[in-house]
Amino acid sequence: MAPSTDKLVEQRIQQAIIRALSIPAPGASAPLQMGSTPGWDSMGHMMVVMELEREFDTRFLPYQLPELVDVPSIAKMLVQPGVGSK
Amino acid sequence: MSAIAHLGAAIPDELAEEFLKRLPYVSEGINNVRLLPGSTGVQFELRPGFENQEALVASRISEVASKLCSNHRPGFSKTLAKRDVLPSSFRDDPHPLLAEQGELVSFGRGRYGFGPKLIALMEAFDSRILELAAAFHAPAYTFPSLIGADVLDRCHYFRNFPASLSLVSHLREDHGLLQEFTRSAHWDGEQLDFDRASLSSVECLLSPAVCFHWYAWLGNSKLLEPRVITAIGKCFRYESSNLSGLERLWDFTMREIIFVGPGQYILDHRKTCIDFSVQFLNELGVAYEITSATDPFFADAYAAQAAYQKGFDLKFELLLTLPYSGKKLAAGSSNYHQDFFGRSFDIEAGGASAHTGCLAFGLERMALAFVAQHGVNEKNWPDEVVRRMKTRSAQNV
């Protein structure tokens, strides 16, 4: 059975974060999260944001940046109005 | 000779000033820069000796524009407080008037001497800020004007702000070189002429901020409780041809109140600092606004760093109106660094990397904006300011 659209989006987000931070894929018990994933600090955050913007051809607004802290919150943000167009 | 650099895209209005401030650094030969109407081109001139660099300079200008704009996220500045009413009808540039009064003298680009009235004014401001420090039970510390290159390296200053650095050197410990220096070193009208090979390597720089020393002081430690201190010091930021009167000094005085502790502690105290700033500026009777801002990061990193600062509300500037130019001058700022310095210097608080923040006032800029709005005659200044000036003057005699 093919994965759902939501699952595919989450996989793309995860891969984008891994690429941005140049880290190995984490195990299921260690979800990707700002502040706890190695390298995902204040500096790493913008790398993550820019890689996500490339992956989804979108542009986040400044006030949205603090909310992009893990895969579920990013997935939620990507379907919000105003995100998805440059 | 006039030339034009064509930009890939128009510079957004809100980035225009930031963009123009960076252009003096693209080449030593650049001069008389002007953003063309429509913001898709820059007109510039080249100084004698640089005429053959037109294409190189144009391409660097275009590169700076591209880097500034590539990840730019428009708008959404937050203004926390604002007061538009000017306290007087004074609209003159106070610089020449202060010079006539014997209160101000220029010693060169970005370097000024101050007379007793301006000193008393700055001390009056400082005494008010110290009342806030006292309310926080913040003890006073002093730090050197020289800061180790190791300290600035730990806080990534070289990567983020290379253009503003003031490196410190001395003559190498070599009797022959010292003898040669005594024979040949002389002022050639523009600079000290001597053999650069006699210079030492760089161990220290002139400190660009007060608070870095405090983070280095606390480095490799676990705080049992949050720490708040205050310090005043000279700060040094080279600004090339942007150096302009008291608006933009190479060498200026900064009073800071510095907080180190858990994140919520910093945020709580930042709110108190901003409330104090509003009260303080209202007492001074000046027109101002307190607005979200970004630091002048190097072009290569600007867009991402600025977006992060703005997105996370990390910096608010105290902008004071300059009636003689219509511009607003950043005379202070409230900064929240999250755990950046805690991680950089290995400071722990509450079981995690410490968060830090500071409230900073540039005293010369405060004085300039105050005098620009109230005029240079102290008889027209608020009574409370004059009272504080007299108190400080009496203490200094």
Side-chain angles (χ1 to χ4, degrees), chain A residues 41 43 50 53 59-60 62 66, chain B residues 71-73 159 304 311 343:
Chain A
D41 50 26
M43 306 239 265
M50 287 190 283
E53 290 179 339
R59 177 62 58 92
F60 295 106
Chain B
N71 275 293
H72 174 59
R73 287 148 222 272
R159 184 168 63 194
R343 283 187 293 105

Side-chain angles (χ1 to χ4, degrees), chain B residues 30-41:
Chain B
I30 198 168
N31 199 15
N32 290 332
V33 174
R34 187 169 73 90
L35 191 59
L36 294 172
S39 302
T40 55

Side-chain angles (χ1 to χ4, degrees), chain B residues 285-345:
Chain B
V286 293
Y288 70 91
E289 65 179 60
I290 300 178
T291 299
S292 58
T294 58
D295 283 314
F297 297 103
F298 187 50
D300 290 31
Y302 176 78
Q305 300 272 37
Y308 188 86
Q309 267 193 324
K310 245 182 183 175
F312 283 80
D313 286 339
L314 300 185
K315 185 180 191 74
F316 289 94
E317 281 184 340
L318 281 53
L319 301 172
L320 274 56
T321 306
L322 297 177
Y324 63 88
S325 66
K327 293 180 180 170
K328 288 184 165 61
L329 182 67
S333 63
S334 168
N335 304 281
Y336 174 35
H337 317 111
Q338 297 180 321
D339 63 354
F340 176 79
F341 289 110
R343 283 187 293 105
S344 298
F345 290 97

Side-chain angles (χ1 to χ4, degrees), chain A residues 34-35 41-43 45-47 49-50 53-54 58-69, chain B residues 69-76 156 159-160 303-305 307-308 310-312 337-340 343:
Chain A
M34 186 181 184
D41 50 26
S42 54
M43 306 239 265
H45 190 61
M46 286 313 295
M47 306 295 286
V49 168
M50 287 190 283
E53 290 179 339
R54 270 192 288 274
T58 190
R59 177 62 58 92
F60 295 106
L61 298 169
Y63 71 88
Q64 294 171 323
L65 303 185
E67 297 176 39
L68 306 172
V69 295
Chain B
C69 296
S70 63
N71 275 293
H72 174 59
R73 287 148 222 272
F76 299 104
H156 307 292
R159 184 168 63 194
N160 287 325
Q305 300 272 37
Y308 188 86
K310 245 182 183 175
F312 283 80
H337 317 111
Q338 297 180 321
D339 63 354
F340 176 79
R343 283 187 293 105

Side-chain angles (χ1 to χ4, degrees), chain B residues 194-213:
Chain B
F194 68 104
D195 180 6
R196 303 282 178 96
S198 60
L199 283 181
S200 70
S201 57
V202 173
E203 174 186 347
C204 291
L205 296 91
L206 294 174
S207 189
V210 172
C211 59
F212 296 158
H213 273 112

Side-chain angles (χ1 to χ4, degrees), chain B residues 160-329:
Chain B
N160 287 325
F161 306 101
S164 65
L165 296 170
S166 296
L167 288 73
V168 174
S169 182
H170 55 81
L171 297 175
R172 290 163 51 200
E173 293 86 346
D174 182 305
H175 188 67
L177 287 175
L178 293 172
Q179 281 181 320
E180 176 55 28
F181 186 86
T182 62
R183 279 193 293 267
S184 62
H186 66 282
W187 179 252
D188 73 358
E190 287 188 358
Q191 61 183 333
L192 187 63
D193 186 16
F194 68 104
D195 180 6
R196 303 282 178 96
S198 60
L199 283 181
S200 70
S201 57
V202 173
E203 174 186 347
C204 291
L205 296 91
L206 294 174
S207 189
V210 172
C211 59
F212 296 158
H213 273 112
W214 182 235
Y215 308 138
W217 186 313
L218 295 178
N220 307 311
S221 70
K222 292 181 182 177
L223 302 186
L224 299 176
E225 57 185 15
R227 300 288 300 269
V228 52
I229 68 148
T230 186
I232 189 169
K234 282 287 191 179
C235 297
F236 304 84
R237 296 180 192 173
Y238 177 66
E239 304 255 9
S240 186
S241 58
N242 296 323
L243 292 167
S244 171
L246 301 188
E247 289 183 33
R248 205 166 284 280
L249 291 166
W250 189 349
D251 165 341
F252 59 97
T253 314
M254 187 135 64
R255 161 66 68 185
E256 290 196 35
I257 302 175
I258 309 163
F259 304 89
V260 184
Q264 195 56 50
Y265 167 85
I266 307 297
L267 288 169
D268 291 346
H269 285 72
R270 180 171 76 162
K271 182 173 182 332
T272 308
C273 286
I274 288 172
D275 289 346
F276 165 81
S277 301
V278 170
Q279 188 183 343
F280 178 34
L281 296 174
N282 284 336
E283 287 166 8
L284 296 180
V286 293
Y288 70 91
E289 65 179 60
I290 300 178
T291 299
S292 58
T294 58
D295 283 314
F297 297 103
F298 187 50
D300 290 31
Y302 176 78
Q305 300 272 37
Y308 188 86
Q309 267 193 324
K310 245 182 183 175
F312 283 80
D313 286 339
L314 300 185
K315 185 180 191 74
F316 289 94
E317 281 184 340
L318 281 53
L319 301 172
L320 274 56
T321 306
L322 297 177
Y324 63 88
S325 66
K327 293 180 180 170
K328 288 184 165 61
L329 182 67

